[in-house]
Amino acid sequence: MNYTAMLHTHTLAWFLMLILFIVTVILLKSGKAKGGKIVQMTLRLFYIFVLVTGATLLIWNFYWATGVKAILAVALIFTMEQLSTGIKKDTLQGSRPMVLWTQFIILVIIVIYFGYFVA
Ligand code: HEM
């Protein structure tokens, strides 16, 4: 697979991952535990797709901007996992949900900006 094809695969993977994340949150928040569990499992599979395609692009095109972008993207996946698991287990207390959602929004914006305009 060449670089452009890998880039398109990566873009499709992260786009679907973001949709799956939103669907997971909506299902879990509306008490649909079974559906939420299935979609969350699919979401985790997509973390892997995004990580593998992203890591491949990183190896093929490694410089400061792709490195920074990759670190922030891993932090974003970590934030999504903390949010979805926290909502599922109902363990997000006090200011925690607000902090995580703020972190999620800021990271999504920076990672997409970095992907398209810097890296
Ligand atoms: C967390 C979700 C992620 C989002 C929203 C995201 C977003 C993007 C975007 C918008 C691009 C540019 C696509 C284009 O130019 O057509 C891109 C490329 C790239 N991504 Fe990701 N990405 C994510 C995860 C990752 C991960 C986990 C890694 C590495 C471990 C990674 C590494 C890269 C690299 C190296 C490129 C190529 C940059 C270039 O060619 O200049 N990404 N990503």
Side-chain angles (χ1 to χ4, degrees), residues 19-106:
I19 292 173
L20 285 168
F21 173 67
I22 302 299
V23 175
T24 303
V25 169
I26 291 172
L27 288 175
L28 292 175
K29 281 230 178 229
S30 54
K32 300 203 167 57
K34 197 173 176 200
K37 195 175 177 177
I38 294 165
V39 182
Q40 192 186 24
M41 276 167 62
T42 319
L43 171 67
R44 289 189 174 135
L45 183 66
F46 271 79
Y47 292 159
I48 312 276
F49 292 155
V50 172
L51 283 165
V52 170
T53 53
T56 309
L57 290 168
L58 187 64
I59 291 165
W60 287 350
N61 183 17
F62 186 80
Y63 72 110
W64 74 270
T66 53
V68 170
K69 192 226 162 247
I71 292 169
L72 295 173
V74 173
L76 174 59
I77 292 179
F78 206 74
T79 306
M80 293 193 301
E81 179 57 20
Q82 282 177 295
L83 270 169
S84 54
T85 307
I87 291 167
K88 184 164 136 190
K89 296 188 175 163
D90 202 17
T91 50
L92 300 178
Q93 307 291 332
S95 62
R96 193 85 184 119
M98 198 58 196
V99 170
L100 285 174
W101 279 113
T102 309
Q103 203 170 298
F104 169 75
I105 290 164
I106 292 173

